[in-house]
Amino acid sequence: MSGLRVLAVDDEQPALEDLAYLLRADPRIGEVQTARDGAAALKLLDRAMADGRPIDAVFLDIRMRGLDGVVLGRLLTQFSRPPKVVFVTAYEDHAVDAFELKAEDYLLKPVRPDRLAEAIRRVCAGSEAYTEPETSDTIPVELGGVTRFVASTEVRYVEARGDYARLHTATGSHLVRIPLAALEERWASAGFLRVHRSHLVAVKHIDELHIDSGRCVVRIGDTEIPVSRRHTRELRDLLVRRARRAKPDQ
């Protein structure tokens, strides 16, 4: 899978073009189709399903002529494989509808690139159609006067140390002058997930997740790492999806 297949729907051509442009600029998006109204969107969705290339996510305006976005969103929930929905609107008064329809996100126009990137991240986290690319990045560390380059693929988890971060690998740890928040953004596409205010983990290295007395913990090797409440569901769903993809066909 080279990226998500998405459909942008808006009855205002300039807004539709702007949204499509921003979507195509994101490396997680593989294909962008557009529709000017709800009826045209349904035809495109049906055609994509018939071709065996279903749409993964719909970025949907709400107030449109004819079939509005809320009605279309309800119709999408009836699909055998419903696409993820992100509402993109100039109005704040439909947030409750979005919540009831379990939309991935609710963006206000004009769409900010950073908010759109976050919406795409949520779609990816909730989609079995997207697999995190195996990318590698290196960080220089000092070892007894010798500079060594540690690849992100070697790192199992990262601990925050103020303006520093401690990288933990299978053979040791290294303190580097990089804030955890910077590494979170830098390594998001390499399969790292923030699970706590002080911890970033490589999801592929997680050996176990368990919840005891309402407290969620992941184990990486012999180390147990706390997971905050706000990250528990996202991490658990991500691990389930990875397990399903790794399971051989019966």
Side-chain angles (χ1 to χ4, degrees):
M1 179 70 192
S2 58
L4 294 173
R5 289 185 291 272
V6 303
L7 172 63
V9 188
D10 198 312
D11 62 352
E12 297 181 355
Q13 187 66 28
L16 183 61
E17 291 177 354
D18 288 346
L19 178 58
Y21 174 82
L22 291 173
L23 287 168
R24 292 188 176 106
D26 193 291
R28 294 165 294 187
I29 303 297
E31 178 182 333
V32 178
Q33 297 190 51
T34 61
R36 288 286 303 275
D37 56 57
L42 283 175
K43 290 180 181 178
L44 283 171
L45 288 160
D46 286 339
R47 186 184 309 149
M49 186 73 71
D51 292 342
R53 293 171 52 81
I55 298 295
D56 300 309
V58 179
F59 289 77
L60 180 59
D61 188 21
I62 291 182
R63 296 190 183 180
M64 298 187 294
R65 294 182 294 274
L67 193 64
D68 74 20
V70 173
V71 175
L72 178 56
R74 292 195 180 103
L75 291 174
L76 296 182
T77 64
Q78 306 302 314
F79 279 38
S80 58
R81 180 185 163 184
K84 303 296 180 181
V85 173
V86 174
F87 284 114
V88 184
T89 177
Y91 305 95
E92 299 181 358
D93 54 352
H94 289 284
V96 173
D97 294 316
F99 177 79
E100 291 176 348
L101 291 170
K102 299 181 179 179
E104 295 298 317
D105 210 337
Y106 190 90
L107 304 182
L108 290 176
K109 298 178 182 178
V111 178
R112 301 200 323 263
D114 61 321
R115 279 294 287 118
L116 181 61
E118 170 62 15
I120 295 171
R121 185 196 68 78
R122 293 184 182 185
V123 170
C124 292
S127 175
E128 296 184 13
Y130 182 80
T131 303
E132 301 92 344
E134 289 290 339
T135 59
S136 181
D137 180 31
T138 58
I139 289 183
V141 299
E142 296 294 329
L143 294 172
V146 176
T147 301
R148 182 195 165 199
F149 292 91
V150 175
S152 60
T153 51
E154 299 178 59
V155 178
R156 296 185 167 195
Y157 66 96
V158 186
E159 287 183 280
R161 289 287 186 266
D163 291 335
Y164 290 75
R166 183 167 290 279
L167 313 179
H168 292 265
T169 69
T171 57
S173 67
H174 311 280
L175 191 66
V176 295
R177 192 168 186 175
I178 301 177
L180 191 67
L183 279 179
E184 177 186 8
E185 180 178 355
R186 181 169 169 177
W187 287 354
S189 63
F192 283 77
L193 184 69
R194 184 78 166 262
V195 297
H196 190 272
R197 63 181 181 180
S198 59
H199 287 92
L200 183 69
V201 302
V203 175
K204 67 180 180 180
H205 286 301
I206 294 177
D207 299 310
E208 180 182 288
L209 178 148
H210 63 269
I211 300 176
D212 184 18
S213 301
R215 177 173 172 265
C216 182
V217 173
V218 293
R219 181 175 59 80
I220 297 180
D222 296 327
T223 303
E224 289 193 340
I225 298 170
V227 181
S228 65
R229 288 182 181 274
R230 64 187 294 257
H231 294 295
T232 297
R233 181 173 180 179
E234 179 183 7
L235 176 61
R236 183 172 55 192
D237 291 348
L238 179 58
L239 291 174
V240 168
R241 289 195 303 274
R242 290 180 67 94
R244 286 175 179 169
R245 289 197 295 265
K247 185 177 180 181
D249 295 335
Q250 298 296 321

